Amino acid sequence: MSTTSNVFIPRYQATPRGAKLVGLIVSTFTNIADRRRAAKLAATKSVEAEEVRRYARGVARHDPGFAADLFAAADRHTGN
């Protein structure tokens, strides 16, 4: 039985040319796509919330409590 250990030390490997530039370009396009997706989602939520508010205004005469619940749900949906 041996008590010897072999320790391997990896050699330094330089970053390939252009890798940092490509990484920067990819992250920039990813950020742009994420911002567009977030803006589209926010617009969709606004439209949905407005539809719920319109419905709430329609039922407010008959059931004001339910209308209040709908208004509150629309506000929560948009994050207000």
Side-chain angles (χ1 to χ4, degrees):
M1 197 154 163
S2 174
T3 58
T4 306
S5 300
N6 292 328
V7 178
F8 295 100
I9 301 173
R11 293 182 312 171
Y12 172 76
Q13 291 188 348
T15 304
R17 288 187 193 128
K20 290 181 182 179
L21 177 63
V22 170
L24 179 65
I25 291 170
V26 168
S27 67
T28 300
F29 281 115
T30 301
N31 289 339
I32 291 170
D34 288 345
R35 280 192 220 124
R36 285 184 178 178
R37 193 174 305 117
K40 186 177 180 181
L41 181 63
T44 302
K45 284 187 170 192
S46 303
V47 170
E48 291 171 344
E50 188 53 41
E51 290 173 357
V52 171
R53 287 186 186 103
R54 189 177 313 123
Y55 179 71
R57 284 190 287 276
V59 299
R61 284 184 290 137
H62 305 291
D63 193 350
F66 180 58
D69 288 344
L70 289 173
F71 282 122
D75 287 342
R76 283 192 306 270
H77 189 62
T78 57
N80 293 337

